[in-house]
Amino acid sequence: MMKQALWVRTACTDPYENLAREDVLMQSVRPGECILYLWQNRHTVVIGRNQECWKECNVEALEADGGRLARRLSGGGAVYHDLGNLNFTFILCKRDFDVTRQLSVVVEACRLLGIRAEISGRNDLTVDGKKVSGNAFYISAGRCCHHGTLLLQSDLEQMERFLNVPQDKLQRKGVLSVHARVGNLGESCPGLTADQMCEMLVQAFGTVYGLPAEPFPEKRLDAQAVADRRVFYASDLWRLSQKRPANLVLSHRFGWGDFQLYAAVRSGVLSGVRAYSDALDSDFINRLPRALEGIRFSVDAIAEAMGTVKGCPQISADISAYLKEAAASRRKPM
């Protein structure tokens, strides 16, 4: 049962500090509490936990332009953040987690502004068919994090410049560019500001949860813990992919997302295994390299090893089926 609805907004626009603060807030949430965290990043690309940064983002151009690359703990795809975008995070204990209820807060906030937003698919909000919000999720030690973007007046040309979105992904959405697929809430509510959106979100937060929305007690936020976690999020070891020689490369788009697998094959055995994906089930992708490291290079051995990975049987089954189909097609006579 929900007992408290707490909100916190930060003026910080540093992506590493903001992700660190989210992390520490998640560690501090108590049963019966829902924390709504509101934050913005300046000129940043944030990639999912298991994505290959060089594939998803034009890293060199971004950094040359004064931008930053960050990696979050959740799965999902790459997103562009600027001060025309507002980020929201819902933090709760697992027993209180309800994605529909959480997204209803955002939908209600939009309604208060005269905007009709709709929940679309597993993790998007749309207005007039255009995506205005993407969401991702992760669980740690019985606590849940649901965070998302909310496009207000974002620079869509900059978004298209720095994100490497595969053309086949856009074509499946029936559009030719990122610009055509996404939209700003400001198109429906001219002059919309982050301050206005935050005010509506806090109001909607209290309405949806049926509780007074109260500020999060500042004394509960451990500033030293935030500083320590910022070091982790800003590190190259966390942010950047480590390139290693690979003579096995698997790349395919499944219903649940893009998937890439890289490995070296030495004496018939897999080594240096890396897996990347924008799948929302980040835990499965994260565990996969360890399960495949050192196994015999064969379709059956790979499929068997994937079957031992806890997480999402559907992902395992889809990859195994694809491998077997690809192997069978290579054996067919010309």
Side-chain angles (χ1 to χ4, degrees), residues 18-289:
N18 285 335
L19 287 168
R21 184 177 290 105
E22 179 182 79
D23 209 334
V24 174
L25 284 169
M26 189 169 174
Q27 294 169 24
S28 69
V29 71
R30 298 168 180 171
E33 287 182 346
C34 180
I35 300 173
L36 172 61
Y37 170 42
L38 302 171
W39 47 293
Q40 291 180 286
N41 290 333
R42 183 186 298 274
H43 198 17
T44 301
V45 169
V46 182
I47 59 175
R49 177 170 185 164
N50 298 302
Q51 289 191 293
E52 183 179 13
C53 64
W54 312 104
K55 179 176 181 292
E56 304 298 331
C57 170
N58 191 340
V59 180
E60 291 84 357
L62 177 69
E63 294 183 343
D65 198 51
R68 295 179 175 183
L69 176 80
R71 186 187 296 273
R72 61 183 185 268
L73 286 173
S74 61
V79 289
Y80 176 70
H81 291 176
D82 60 15
L83 297 185
N85 171 75
L86 176 67
N87 301 299
F88 59 86
T89 307
F90 292 96
I91 299 171
L92 316 89
C93 290
K94 187 175 181 180
R95 71 180 190 186
D96 301 317
F97 192 71
D98 184 338
V99 173
T100 300
R101 192 179 194 185
Q102 290 140 214
L103 285 176
S104 295
V105 172
V106 186
V107 172
E108 172 64 12
C110 290
R111 189 193 68 78
L112 292 171
L113 291 165
I115 303 170
R116 184 177 178 181
E118 298 178 328
I119 299 173
S120 174
R122 294 183 301 168
N123 65 328
D124 293 346
L125 291 177
T126 61
V127 173
D128 296 330
K130 286 192 172 184
K131 179 178 176 177
V132 297
S133 175
N135 296 255
F137 320 89
Y138 71 95
I139 301 174
S140 177
R143 298 178 175 90
C144 298
C145 173
H146 164 190
H147 46 202
T149 57
L150 199 53
L151 298 175
L152 309 180
Q153 308 280 1
S154 191
D155 189 330
L156 302 185
E157 291 183 359
Q158 290 284 75
M159 180 187 296
E160 196 159 11
R161 177 184 173 194
F162 297 116
L163 292 183
N164 296 331
V165 181
Q167 280 301 309
D168 65 331
K169 183 174 182 179
L170 293 174
Q171 289 164 4
R172 281 192 299 275
K173 301 290 184 179
V175 297
L176 298 177
S177 68
V178 174
H179 204 152
R181 182 188 173 202
V182 301
N184 281 306
L185 291 175
E187 296 173 17
S188 302
C189 183
L192 178 62
T193 67
D195 287 343
Q196 288 175 305
M197 194 72 232
C198 285
E199 183 180 345
M200 294 302 101
L201 282 166
V202 170
Q203 184 177 331
F205 185 36
T207 299
V208 171
Y209 280 89
L211 295 165
E214 303 173 284
F216 183 83
E218 191 174 333
K219 63 183 179 181
R220 279 180 55 187
L221 187 65
D222 187 336
Q224 186 57 54
V226 173
D228 291 343
R229 287 301 285 165
R230 186 194 181 282
V231 173
F232 164 76
Y233 281 106
S235 69
D236 286 352
L237 185 63
W238 171 248
R239 297 184 313 120
L240 305 176
S241 305
Q242 295 182 350
K243 293 186 175 180
R244 302 174 189 169
N247 50 14
L248 169 65
V249 179
L250 166 66
S251 182
H252 190 69
R253 176 76 184 177
F254 296 94
W256 39 263
D258 284 313
F259 176 76
Q260 297 88 39
L261 181 71
Y262 301 90
V265 182
R266 298 187 177 93
S267 301
V269 172
L270 298 184
S271 65
V273 182
R274 292 164 289 151
Y276 302 104
S277 178
D278 61 0
L280 289 176
D281 192 329
S282 62
D283 287 342
F284 180 90
I285 303 298
N286 198 42
R287 296 184 186 117
L288 192 56

